[in-house]
């Protein structure tokens, strides 16, 4: 099992460009991140390469994430913004050697039919997937919880899976976030088993506080053991809010040798 750290939510003690070095110093060999809005992409690329990191995944532009936006693809007024971002994001992925990009579905729009929104989202994801396929890249789609993210369009695994199938592209897969789905539906292991062939990326945090594994109600030794037993060979992304004074202290559950080289569940301090 191999792990990567999401530098958009971890290492918030430092500016984004410094977080890549902090991740490497903490022993990680791979990172993921949300779209680096407001950052110079050349500087982002240099910071990642200077740190000697792989990039497991990053997001397409999802709008003003700190302001509460959660995706552009289902909003008619943001269609061109998303499509303009696609080649920019794919170029960055190629330069970084990243094979996967995550697309967020967006919020329900008052007064707009849900089916119309999903149809627009489908068209936009098809566009992104077709562009990505020509470069050998994948697009992933995730369900997220509505408690913290507002009226998000896809908030259960079945909804996200149905949407992925409706897109009809072989390079469109599921991103499964254990924390979000514990909040929305529970039944984690059975759901992972059911959808494992569709899942290309997994993210973790504990519930209900979104802290590091071992700080909440999710029995992570069992969940991670079952992910391992399923044959899943992708990354497990750490996307949590540390409960500790520093981000580095929150990694106590994940021995340093596992952060860079991977390992089995028996190697974890859980």
């Amino acid at each position: 099992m191999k792990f990567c750290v999401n530098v958009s939510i971890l290492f918030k003690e430092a500016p984004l460009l410094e977080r890549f070095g902090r991740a490497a110093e903490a022993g990680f060999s791979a990172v993921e991140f949300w779209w680096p809005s407001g950052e110079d992409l050349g500087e982002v690329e240099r910071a990642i390469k200077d740190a000697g990191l792989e990039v497991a995944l990053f997001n397409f532009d999802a709008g003003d994430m700190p302001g509460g936006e959660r995706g552009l693809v289902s909003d008619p007024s943001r269609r061109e913004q998303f499509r303009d971002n696609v080649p920019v994001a794919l170029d960055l992925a190629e330069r970084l050697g990243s094979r996967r990009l995550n697309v967020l579905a967006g919020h329900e729009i008052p007064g707009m039919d849900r089916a119309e929104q999903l149809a627009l989202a489908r068209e936009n994801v098809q566009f992104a997937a077709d562009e990505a396929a020509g470069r050998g890249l994948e697009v992933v789609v995730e369900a997220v919880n509505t408690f913290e993210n507002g009226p998000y369009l896809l908030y259960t695994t079945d909804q996200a899976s149905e949407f992925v199938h409706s897109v009809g592209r072989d390079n469109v897969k599921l991103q499964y976030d254990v924390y979000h789905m514990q909040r929305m539906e529970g039944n984690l292991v059975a759901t992972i088993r059911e959808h494992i062939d569709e899942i290309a990326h997994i993210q973790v945090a504990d519930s209900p506080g979104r802290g590091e594994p071992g700080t909440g109600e999710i029995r992570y030794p069992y969940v991670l053991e079952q992910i391992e037993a399923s044959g899943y060979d992708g990354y497990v992304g750490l996307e949590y809010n540390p409960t500790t004074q520093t981000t580095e202290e929150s990694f106590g559950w994940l021995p340093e040798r596992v952060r860079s080289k991977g390992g089995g569940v028996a190697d974890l301090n859980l």
Side-chain angles (χ1 to χ4, degrees), residues 204-256:
V204 296
D206 220 329
S207 179
R210 203 176 187 174
E212 62 270 19
T215 60
E217 66 190 5
I218 300 174
R219 192 155 72 92
Y220 265 107
Y222 178 68
V223 172
L224 292 172
E225 177 185 80
Q226 293 304 304
I227 291 172
E228 184 177 61
S230 75
Y232 173 76
D233 62 358
Y235 277 96
V236 173
L238 313 186
E239 194 185 42
Y240 60 74
N241 292 309
T243 64
T244 52
Q245 188 170 0
T246 68
T247 294
E248 284 85 352
E249 291 175 272
S250 76
F251 299 136
W253 65 280
L254 191 64
E256 189 163 343

Side-chain angles (χ1 to χ4, degrees), residues 4 8 10 17 20 29-30 58-59 118 139 145 153 155 159 174 178 182 198 220 223-224 236 239 244 248 251:
C4 64
S8 294
L10 289 159
L17 294 179
F20 299 105
S29 59
F58 64 92
N59 289 6
L118 288 172
V139 175
N145 83 75
L153 272 172
Y155 51 86
Q159 287 176 346
L174 275 179
V178 177
Q182 174 67 5
E198 306 167 63
Y220 265 107
V223 172
L224 292 172
V236 173
E239 194 185 42
T244 52
E248 284 85 352
F251 299 136

